[in-house]
Amino acid sequence: MLNIEMLKKYVDIKDEVQEALDQGKPVVALESTIISHGMPYPENLNTAWEVEQIIRETGAIPATTAIINGRIKVGLTREELEFMAKDKSIIKASRRDYPYIVSQGLHGATTVATSILTASLAGIKLLVTGGIGGVHRGAQETFDISRDLQELATTDIVVVCAGAKSILDIGLTLEYLETFGVPVLGYGTKEMPAFYTRESGHEVDYKVDTPEDVANMVNTKWELGLTGGVLLTNPIPKDSAMDKTIIDKAIEEALQDAKVKGIQGKKTTPFLLDRVLEVTEGKSLESNIALVKNNALVGAKVAIAMAK
């Protein structure tokens, strides 16, 4: 953890966010890769703004994270959100990219991994995202495992998501999280959701039914000295979920296309999501927006319970 003076050298915390933190009020961190690399314009900007409004209306303070001109941002203005939605020079920033982007005065969109890192710098204990990264299919050959998992394993934070992205190997992702002691909770469900769909065929560790259940479990974990994060998986609303057969077929086509074109590393997820969007004729974007908003609502309620 940086000291206050070192923190000021690199980090800009929005006034309302700092005030909420100082007063022990609930704050919800948000990533920005979903804005810069996860959705097309203007849906990305509209969704980012609406998600922030959902969090405010529920009673918490939103803190979207990003790097702009080398400054680490915790909480963005409307103008900064618009910049993140439109500018094409923004780098998808994982942990390895973080110091380079900051030192060179560049722009970076925070992934789940770097949103966890940024939230930790500011002392925020809950992050809302769409779907978490994980172990990619074929990882036994490529070793492609998202940094999200390690950042979650080593940071005291709750990450609220609609499960692991369905382009991943969900079974291996759960095994990886178990190895590093990360509890995986299902909000109102015993089954791990799979981003666009409510079912994956894999069970979560524990079902929880209320924000208070989550807060009690998390506080108990940390008070016992059991460091590291908790993954709270929240299924996409039923009326926005996609048919599993259709989405599985779209993902298989996208994976084959990625293999043929040699897409690897951090370019993989944006490419696959774009191809799935194309194959589903835009329906996957509608589902993506719905699940993010639903996660924001649940995340804000959990943050409020944790603050109490």
Side-chain angles (χ1 to χ4, degrees), residues 8 50 111 154 294:
K8 289 179 180 178
E50 289 166 9
T111 60
T154 56
N294 190 41

Side-chain angles (χ1 to χ4, degrees), residues 289-304:
I289 292 170
L291 67 85
V292 171
K293 290 180 179 180
N294 190 41
N295 291 346
L297 178 63
V298 170
K301 290 178 179 179
V302 173
I304 290 167

